[in-house]
Amino acid sequence: MSSNAPAVLTRRRPSIDIVDAKVAVDLATAQTYSENVFLFVPNLIGYSRIVLAALSLHYMSYHPKYCTVLYCISCLLDAFDGHAARALGQSSKFGAVLDMVTDRCTTSCLLCYLTSAYPEWALAFQFLITLDFSSHYMHMYSSLITGSRSHKQVDSDVSRLLQMYYNPRTLFVVCAGNELFYIALYLLKWVHTPMSESLGMTGPLAEYTWPQLLAYVCGPICALKNFVNLVQLWKASKILVGVDLAERAKAREEELSKNQ
C-alpha cells in the first residue's frame, strides 16, 4: 500500500492547475468585461433560474398555477445553460457550482413546503433534503480533490452507474422525473377533480386526478434518483477515505526517509 501511495497522490488528470486563493480573488476583481465570467451567458441563465425559483416560492402557498409554471420554467432552463456553455465556449467552474447549488436549493425549498403539506411524511422529506445536499457536496468535493474538471465526469472504473447517470440525456430524464414527482405531490393538495370531469376521460384512469397520475408515473424515477444519490454519497466517501489513506502513507514514508 505504502509503495503505491505516492503514485496515487501525484497522478493528476490533465485538468486543473492549483491557483492561489489570493491570486484568484485578484483575477476576479480585475477581470475585464470581455472575459467577465460572472456575465457569461450560461451564468446569466443561472441567475434567471434563481429569480424564477424565488418567484415560484413566493406564490407556492397561495397560487399553484403561477408557482408551477415558474418552477417548471426554472427547471427547464437548467437544460439550456449547459448547451449554451458548450456552444459559446463559456464553461466555467463558477457556472457548474452555481447550477448545482441552484438545483439543490430549489428542490429543498419545495421539499420544505411538502413537509408542511404532508406532516406525516415530514421525516422522509427531511431525509431526502439531507441526502441530496450531502451526496452532491461530497461528490463535488471528491471531484475537485482528485483533479476533475467537472463533477459530471465520472470514470467507469469508479462507478458505471454514475457514469451512465451523468450522461446528458439520462441526467435530464432522471432530474426532470424527480422534479415532476415533487411537483405532482404539491399539486395533489390543490387539484381534486378527477380527469373524468376535468378532461372528459373515460376508462380505468378517469377517476384519478392528473397530479395523481403524474405522481404514479414519476415516482419510480424519483426512487431511482435517490438511489443514485446514495451510490454517489458512498462512492465519494470511499474516494475521500482513499485520499486520506494515501496521504497518511506518504507522510509515513517521508517521516521514515527523514529518520534514515
Side-chain angles (χ1 to χ4, degrees), residues 147-244:
S148 177
R149 280 190 177 275
S150 171
H151 66 284
K152 296 180 180 179
Q153 294 178 349
V154 181
D155 295 333
S156 59
D157 56 350
V158 174
S159 173
R160 190 174 300 274
L161 174 64
L162 292 181
Q163 185 188 49
M164 291 188 295
Y165 169 72
Y166 279 111
N167 175 278
R169 291 183 180 178
T170 305
L171 186 64
F172 174 79
V173 171
V174 175
C175 289
N178 183 65
E179 294 297 332
L180 286 173
F181 176 72
Y182 295 144
I183 292 170
L185 293 182
Y186 166 71
L187 290 173
L188 281 173
K189 286 295 182 179
W190 301 91
V191 180
H192 306 290
T193 306
M195 290 184 290
S196 59
E197 298 179 23
S198 61
L199 302 176
M201 284 184 59
T202 58
L205 300 178
E207 296 308 311
Y208 292 98
T209 64
W210 67 267
Q212 283 178 313
L213 185 60
L214 182 62
Y216 286 132
V217 171
C218 296
I221 301 177
C222 177
L224 172 62
K225 173 71 166 65
N226 286 285
F227 175 74
V228 171
N229 281 347
L230 283 170
V231 173
Q232 183 169 255
L233 178 63
W234 174 240
K235 290 292 183 178
S237 300
K238 291 182 71 174
I239 290 171
L240 294 174
V241 168
V243 170
D244 284 334

Side-chain angles (χ1 to χ4, degrees), residues 70-124:
L70 291 167
Y71 191 93
C72 289
I73 294 175
S74 176
C75 291
L76 284 173
L77 285 176
D78 188 24
F80 290 96
D81 56 4
H83 290 295
R86 290 185 289 271
L88 300 174
Q90 293 184 344
S91 298
S92 64
K93 294 176 180 63
F94 170 74
V97 175
L98 175 68
D99 183 57
M100 190 189 75
V101 170
T102 302
D103 290 340
R104 305 285 72 75
C105 292
T106 303
T107 304
S108 295
C109 288
L110 177 54
L111 286 171
C112 285
Y113 180 87
L114 293 179
T115 299
S116 63
Y118 301 92
E120 67 276 17
W121 293 98
L123 188 60

Side-chain angles (χ1 to χ4, degrees), residues 30-43:
Q31 62 189 343
T32 64
Y33 284 99
S34 61
E35 190 65 8
N36 192 329
V37 176
F38 288 116
L39 298 181
F40 278 4
V41 171
N43 296 337

